Amino acid sequence: MSEKVLMKGNEALAEAAIMAGCRHYFGYPITPQTEVAAYMSKRLPKIEGGVFLQAESEVAAINMVMGVASTGKRVMTSSSSPGISLKSEGISYIAGCDLPALIVNVQRGGPGLGGIQPSQSDYTQATKGPGHGDFRLIVLAPASVQEMVDMTVKGFDLADKYQMPVMLLSDGTMGQMMEPVSLDISEVKTYEKPWAVTGTKGERKPNIVNSLYLKPDELEKVNFERYERYAKIEKEEALWEEYKMEDAEVCIVAFGVAARVSQNAIDRAREKGIKVGMIRPITLWPFPKEALKKASEKVNKFISVELNMGQMIDDIRLAIECKKEVLLCNRTGGMIPTVENVLSKIDEAIEGGRK
Amino acid sequence: MDTFGLNPKRITVFAGHYGSGKTNIAINYALMLSKNSDKVSIADLDIVNPYFRTKDSAKALEENGIKLISSEYANTNVDTPALPAEIYSVFEDQSRVAVIDVGGDDRGALALGRYVPFMEEEGNYEMLFVINKHRFLTGDAERTIEIMKEIESAAKLSFTGIVNNSNIGEETTAQTVLNSVSYAEEVSALSGLPIKMTTVKSSLFDELNGKIENIVPLDLYVRQSWLKEEK
C-alpha cells in the first residue's frame, strides 16, 4: 500500500477520475468546485490522450460530455448547484441516449445564485433526475475526501455497467476540506461498448446514439426497458453505512458532511447513555429503503439531518411507510448544523418518546 | 512565551503551495508575535480560497489584540477576489509588526506583487516558503522547487527561508515529521534557503522538541464540527 497523501476533496476526485481512466473533462468555473477544473487543466494536458476544455458555458460543457460519451470514452463534468441546473437539459439527453458519464455537483446554497457556502439543497434535483422526462441518475454521496476518491471510481464503473449518467453529489465542505487519502485504487473495470460511435470502417452497420423516437410506442418501450434496469439497480446497488444501530432507539439519517457532524453528536449523546445511532445513505438513489424499513421495526423515532429545508425526509418517510415519526434537524443557505443542533434534536426525540 | 529563536523581521510573508498550511501558520505566528508586541497586524491576501480563511480565527486574533486586515467579503457569498485598501497600513505604519498570509500557488501569489516595492524599500521583511511533503504531486524536492519558482515569479519577490509543515492531517505522528526532515533538507539544498522552522501540531511538540531544530508548535484555532472530536 502506498503512502497516504493530503488532498483537498476537489483535487482528490479529479485525480481519482484520471486514475479511473477519464481523459476528457469539460466544464465551466464556479465556486466551490473550481479546483476540479483547475486541477484537470494542469494534469490532463500532461497525460496521453488527455483533453481539458473550458467550455463557453455549462450548457456547452454537458453537450461535449454527451459527445465524448457516445464514443464510449470515460468522460466527466463538474459544477456547483446553479451550474447543474444549466446542465439539466443535457443530463436528460444523456440519460435518454443511455450514455455513461460522471457529473459532479459540489453543492452550494440556493435557490437562484444563492451563495458559495456548502449546502445539500440539490438532493431532490439529483435523486429525482435533473431535467425533463422519466429518468434517474445513480447518486453517490461521499462523506470524506477518501470517499470522494472511492465514489468517483465507483461512479465511472456504475455508469458503464448500467449505461447511464451517475452523479457524485458532494458539497462545498467536502470539496474544500483537506484530509489524508490513499490513492490505491484496487481495480478499474473496463466494459465492452459495442454501441459506441467510433466509425464503422465499413465493417458493421452504423451505431446510432439518439434520444428522439418518432413513434410513441417505441419511446414507451424504451422507457419501460430503462425502468427495468432501474429496478435492478434499486435491488442491487443501494449502499449505506450503519453507526451504533445495534441497540439504537433513535435513528439519525444523514449523508455527506451532515453525517460527519451527526456522528460526533451520537458519540456525545452516547456518553450520556442515550441510545442513538445512524444510517448513512451512501447511494441517495437508489435510496437504502430496506435498511431504513428494517430499522423502523426497532427504533422509536428518526431524525433527518440535512443542509436544506428538508428534502431527504420525504424519502425516509416513504421508506419506513410512515410507521414512525421523522424529525427534521436542518440548517440551510450555506450554514452547517452544529453538534449542539443535532444534540438538541436528539433530546427532542427522546422527550417526545416519553410523553 | 518565547519566539523559538526566530528573530522575526518587521514583516513576515507566508506563501506556498495551495493547501500547504499557510493560513494556520500565519495565525499561529501572529499569536506568537503578540506575546511580545501589542502592535501586531495580520493581513489576508488570499484571493483564491473561498473557504477556510484567516477571518475564521477572528475571535482568537481579536482576543490577543491582533489587528486583522481581511476583505470584508471573506466568508460571505460575495465571490470576488477583492483586497482591502487597509493592507497599505502594514507598510505605512512601521511601528507595527505584520504577518502576511498569501494565497496558494502562483495564482495566489500574484496579489503580493503590488506591495513588493514597499517591502524592498524598507528591507525589513522575510518571505517564507511553506512546504508539505505529503501534499499530492509536490512531495518530491524538485517539484517543490518548481512551485517555489512559479510563486517567486508571480509575486516578484524571492523567498528568504523555508517552513517545513509536513503533515498528513489528523493522521500525523512524530514519525511523519521526522520522515520529512530529509525532504526539507533537500529543498533547502536545492534552493539555498535555510529551514527557518519546522511546524508541528502542538500535541507533538514535546515528543519532537530537541530532535529537530527550530520546532514551532501549531494550534488549530478553528475546530470544525465535522472533524472527529478529541477525547
Side-chain angles (χ1 to χ4, degrees):
Chain A
M1 188 172 149
S2 69
E3 242 180 78
K4 281 192 181 178
V5 286
L6 195 60
M7 289 183 91
K8 195 164 256 231
N10 284 338
E11 296 173 333
L13 82 88
E15 183 59 29
I18 292 169
M19 294 178 92
C22 175
R23 295 290 176 272
H24 296 81
Y25 174 93
F26 306 100
Y28 190 83
I30 180 169
T31 306
Q33 69 78 51
T34 300
E35 295 81 8
V36 182
Y39 190 88
M40 287 303 203
S41 73
K42 281 196 169 174
R43 284 279 281 148
L44 279 175
K46 291 180 187 163
I47 297 170
E48 202 189 330
V51 175
F52 165 85
L53 200 149
Q54 181 175 320
E56 68 269 34
S57 73
E58 284 87 349
V59 178
I62 193 71
N63 283 291
M64 290 171 187
V65 168
M66 184 162 83
V68 170
S70 69
T71 70
K73 306 255 191 240
R74 285 193 163 174
V75 56
M76 72 177 289
T77 186
S78 61
S79 193
S80 180
S81 309
I84 295 293
S85 292
L86 283 165
K87 288 180 202 284
S88 297
E89 182 197 44
I91 295 171
S92 167
Y93 277 62
I94 291 169
C97 292
D98 294 313
L99 292 173
L102 185 73
I103 298 141
V104 177
N105 182 0
V106 184
Q107 296 166 91
R108 58 188 246 180
L113 210 44
I116 62 169
Q117 299 296 325
S119 164
Q120 297 179 330
S121 55
D122 305 339
Y123 173 92
T124 300
Q125 184 195 46
T127 55
K128 272 56 181 174
H132 58 281
D134 284 319
F135 79 94
R136 294 286 195 179
L137 300 176
I138 293 174
V139 183
L140 303 170
S144 65
V145 177
Q146 185 65 58
E147 280 193 354
M148 292 283 255
V149 171
D150 300 342
M151 294 296 120
T152 297
V153 176
K154 188 165 186 69
F156 277 110
D157 181 64
L158 290 171
D160 277 353
K161 187 176 173 186
Y162 292 103
Q163 246 182 280
M164 63 187 284
V166 171
M167 179 171 280
L168 188 80
L169 190 71
S170 177
D171 65 74
T173 320
M174 290 293 135
Q176 297 292 327
M177 73 199 302
M178 285 180 75
E179 284 184 322
V181 287
S182 162
L183 290 168
D184 274 346
I185 289 163
S186 53
E187 189 192 2
V188 174
K189 281 189 227 158
T190 52
Y191 292 80
E192 290 293 316
K193 294 175 180 175
W195 47 264
V197 184
T198 53
T200 65
K201 300 182 185 74
E203 291 165 2
R204 60 164 169 81
K205 276 202 209 165
N207 284 337
I208 295 171
V209 170
N210 178 36
S211 67
L212 172 68
Y213 292 85
L214 297 180
K215 294 177 182 163
D217 59 331
E218 280 178 18
L219 177 55
E220 184 190 45
K221 186 167 164 275
V222 171
N223 279 336
F224 269 102
E225 282 168 3
R226 196 173 289 128
Y227 270 71
E228 277 169 27
R229 211 175 343 140
Y230 292 167
K232 184 171 184 284
I233 295 167
E234 287 207 82
K235 212 170 135 207
E236 294 176 6
E237 302 293 350
L239 287 174
W240 70 94
E241 188 181 75
E242 296 193 6
Y243 185 68
K244 301 191 177 172
M245 279 300 292
E246 300 76 24
D247 60 346
E249 290 166 7
V250 173
C251 173
I252 289 177
V253 187
F255 65 95
V257 66
R260 299 276 293 255
V261 178
S262 298
Q263 190 164 326
N264 282 336
I266 289 166
D267 289 347
R268 272 214 236 153
R270 287 257 168 194
E271 282 168 18
K272 292 191 283 178
I274 299 170
K275 288 179 179 164
V276 52
M278 174 166 64
I279 293 178
R280 172 172 76 92
I282 298 171
T283 54
L284 299 180
W285 193 88
F287 196 63
K289 288 182 199 166
E290 287 306 316
L292 286 164
K293 202 175 165 187
K294 224 174 106 197
S296 71
E297 287 156 16
K298 287 166 35 188
V299 306
N300 299 327
K301 274 200 184 144
F302 287 83
I303 301 171
S304 185
V305 184
E306 307 183 57
L307 275 70
N308 56 46
M309 290 308 293
Q311 299 188 11
M312 180 175 65
I313 192 169
D314 292 337
D315 282 337
I316 300 169
R317 288 180 179 130
L318 282 172
I320 64 169
E321 293 162 359
C322 297
K323 279 183 186 138
K324 298 282 158 69
E325 190 184 355
V326 190
L327 304 178
L328 178 64
C329 175
N330 67 319
R331 299 293 297 271
T332 188
M335 301 302 291
I336 299 172
T338 61
V339 171
E340 287 70 27
N341 289 153
V342 182
L343 280 171
S344 73
K345 196 55 76 169
I346 292 171
D347 283 344
E348 196 183 316
I350 297 288
E351 279 163 24
R354 285 194 193 118
K355 272 175 204 164
Chain B
M1 179 174 162
D2 66 279
T3 51
F4 305 94
L6 293 171
N7 303 317
K9 301 273 189 193
R10 193 182 77 74
I11 295 173
T12 306
V13 180
F14 291 97
H17 180 40
Y18 194 46
S20 57
K22 297 172 295 296
T23 297
N24 194 40
I25 292 170
I27 290 161
N28 276 269
Y29 200 79
L31 287 163
M32 184 185 79
L33 294 175
S34 73
K35 308 292 174 195
N36 295 327
S37 167
D38 55 4
K39 293 179 91 176
V40 179
S41 300
I42 183 167
D44 174 9
L45 243 64
D46 194 337
I47 54 166
V48 183
N49 229 9
Y51 296 2
F52 309 127
R53 300 281 294 258
T54 320
K55 214 173 199 170
D56 293 339
S57 306
K59 194 163 163 268
L61 295 168
E62 194 183 319
E63 281 167 4
N64 288 277
I66 297 166
K67 183 175 170 187
L68 168 64
I69 303 169
S70 170
S71 165
E72 61 181 298
Y73 302 122
N75 291 354
T76 73
N77 285 329
V78 184
D79 193 10
T80 55
L83 291 170
E86 206 185 0
I87 288 176
Y88 285 104
S89 70
V90 166
F91 310 103
E92 280 163 8
D93 184 355
Q94 296 188 1
S95 71
R96 300 187 72 86
V97 287
V99 175
I100 300 179
D101 175 19
V102 180
D105 286 348
D106 46 347
R107 292 185 185 100
L110 268 178
L112 187 64
R114 71 161 95 162
Y115 308 108
V116 165
F118 302 101
M119 288 160 62
E120 284 183 329
E121 194 191 328
E122 186 193 351
N124 192 4
Y125 71 91
E126 57 188 342
M127 176 152 114
L128 302 177
F129 181 40
V130 181
I131 61 172
N132 179 358
K133 179 180 188 250
H134 298 283
R135 278 289 281 144
F136 187 62
L137 295 179
T138 66
D140 67 82
E142 278 165 25
R143 180 70 192 117
T144 306
I145 296 291
E146 271 177 48
I147 288 177
M148 186 189 94
K149 287 180 179 157
E150 285 167 12
I151 293 170
E152 288 181 333
S153 159
K156 303 188 193 82
L157 196 64
S158 296
F159 284 106
T160 60
I162 293 166
V163 177
N164 179 16
N165 186 44
S166 292
N167 75 87
I168 182 92
E170 296 190 302
E171 294 177 18
T172 311
T173 63
Q175 200 56 47
T176 316
V177 182
L178 289 169
N179 289 346
S180 74
V181 171
S182 60
Y183 156 78
E185 284 171 348
E186 207 184 331
V187 175
S188 170
L190 286 171
S191 63
L193 298 172
I195 301 171
K196 179 85 181 175
M197 55 180 140
T198 297
T199 43
V200 298
K201 58 180 174 184
S202 48
S203 57
L204 296 176
F205 179 75
D206 287 339
E207 202 177 339
L208 287 163
N209 198 14
K211 291 182 183 161
I212 299 174
E213 273 179 65
N214 298 334
I215 193 153
V216 175
L218 294 182
D219 287 307
L220 207 54
Y221 285 91
V222 186
R223 193 79 206 154
Q224 307 289 2
S225 60
W226 57 82
L227 291 176
K228 266 214 155 55
E229 295 190 335
E230 282 168 355
K231 291 277 175 283

